[in-house]
Amino acid sequence: MLRALLKRLGLKQKVDCSNSNIWTSLRTKGEKSVLFAINLLSAPMEAEITCQPGFKNAPVRTGLQHLEPMTVKVMEIA
């Protein structure tokens, strides 16, 4: 529901994650970004994550990411 609401407001989705149990956040400053993938569950999770930093012309695919339970994975995008 939140995704549909944000789309109706005209906002562009910058991060796409194949696993809805993994939370993501993309932080950008200038021509550097940091992508956070967060697994708050007590089981390991995997996901394909794609992001679109403002300074890139094409999406960045991170490949298959494995996250241990209760962890945050930090990925630098340059």
Side-chain angles (χ1 to χ4, degrees):
M1 180 171 42
L2 180 59
R3 184 180 298 186
L5 177 61
L6 294 173
K7 187 174 182 179
R8 289 181 96 186
L9 290 171
L11 299 175
K12 292 183 179 181
Q13 184 174 343
K14 296 288 187 175
V15 180
D16 185 45
C17 182
S18 66
N19 185 337
S20 61
N21 293 315
I22 295 177
W23 294 14
T24 58
S25 178
L26 181 66
R27 307 295 296 167
T28 301
K29 183 173 182 181
E31 292 196 11
K32 292 194 178 203
S33 290
V34 177
L35 175 66
F36 298 90
I38 307 156
N39 179 10
L40 299 176
L41 299 180
S42 60
M45 295 282 157
E46 289 185 335
E48 295 273 347
I49 304 172
T50 303
C51 64
Q52 179 69 57
F55 61 89
K56 293 275 189 182
N57 294 329
V60 176
R61 290 174 176 73
T62 65
L64 184 65
Q65 298 296 319
H66 178 80
L67 285 92
E68 292 298 323
M70 305 285 202
T71 59
V72 177
K73 190 169 197 174
V74 179
M75 295 164 265
E76 289 189 39
I77 313 283

